[in-house]
Amino acid sequence: MASIVHLAGRFFGSLRPGGPPRTEVDVVRTELGPAEFEIWSGMSGPDRRHSVGVAARVRGILGPDADRSVMAAALLHDSGKVDSGLRTPGRVVATVMAGLVKHDETTIRRWAVGGGYRRRIGLYLLHPERGAEHLESAGSDPLTVAWTLQHHLPRADCTLDQRLADALRVADND
Ligand SMILES: [Fe+2]
Ligand SMILES: [Fe+2]
């Protein structure tokens, strides 16, 4: 589990606006299809910075086995967060509230179709599913869609090749 210092560093880092440098954006453009790049471009600056970090770590772990679909999974796994409209402080509230309020999947789905702030929290908690739906519509590779859908599931519930899934998980949790 990440240390509190590490988590605090990530929190304060995610408060800084702005995406990755132009040179990294140009690389991302070559790694994604046009529709995927449009989805990536709609992500928040901190989420885009996070995504290029995950992609770089995955490439470092897998080397040439990090094919196009794996790189797209690294870059787009959190793309569904856009739907909630929540930025870092709101996401912290959503995460804390989800921990404090007794809820199951039915509750989250009710929040997501309701109104007000609960709707945003519900959408945030459903970001794997929302992202997977958007990527499927964009014609992404099935592996990219599957990892986006499964990236918060326990290891045992993951249907991907375990070596690829482990690399993506480690890179995301760094
Ligand atoms: Fe996520
Ligand atoms: Fe992530």
Side-chain angles (χ1 to χ4, degrees):
M1 191 177 146
S3 73
I4 192 75
V5 173
H6 183 71
L7 290 174
R10 274 174 59 174
F11 171 75
F12 287 112
S14 66
L15 292 176
R16 180 167 64 83
R22 167 65 55 191
T23 50
E24 291 185 14
V25 174
D26 289 342
V27 173
V28 170
R29 196 191 302 271
T30 68
E31 289 172 325
L32 300 176
E36 290 178 325
F37 184 73
E38 197 175 323
I39 289 172
W40 184 84
S41 299
M43 291 163 60
S44 73
D47 283 348
R48 278 179 285 134
R49 293 201 312 269
H50 166 69
S51 78
V52 297
V54 174
R57 288 189 287 277
V58 165
R59 201 196 308 276
I61 296 168
L62 292 175
D65 289 342
D67 67 9
R68 212 199 144 280
S69 64
V70 174
M71 294 307 287
L75 289 165
L76 294 165
H77 66 280
D78 279 329
S79 57
K81 288 182 176 179
V82 167
D83 290 3
S84 73
L86 292 176
R87 299 292 172 159
T88 300
R91 294 175 184 186
V92 171
V93 171
T95 305
V96 170
M97 191 176 148
L100 292 176
V101 179
K102 188 168 159 39
H103 67 278
D104 54 16
E105 200 178 321
T106 308
T107 308
I108 293 173
R109 292 189 188 287
R110 200 171 59 240
W111 290 350
V113 296
Y117 205 70
R118 273 193 178 180
R119 172 179 164 76
R120 289 172 154 228
I121 292 173
L123 290 173
Y124 180 72
L125 296 175
L126 290 175
H127 77 266
E129 185 177 306
R130 306 280 298 192
E133 286 171 10
H134 297 322
L135 293 174
E136 193 157 28
S137 299
S140 291
D141 187 277
L143 182 145
T144 305
V145 175
W147 178 250
T148 300
L149 183 63
Q150 298 177 16
H151 74 274
H152 286 294
L153 292 185
R155 187 175 189 269
D157 295 341
C158 186
T159 62
L160 266 67
D161 174 280
Q162 283 293 2
R163 183 168 162 261
L164 298 180
D166 286 346
L168 284 159
R169 191 176 294 109
V170 166
D172 194 18
N173 288 336
D174 185 70

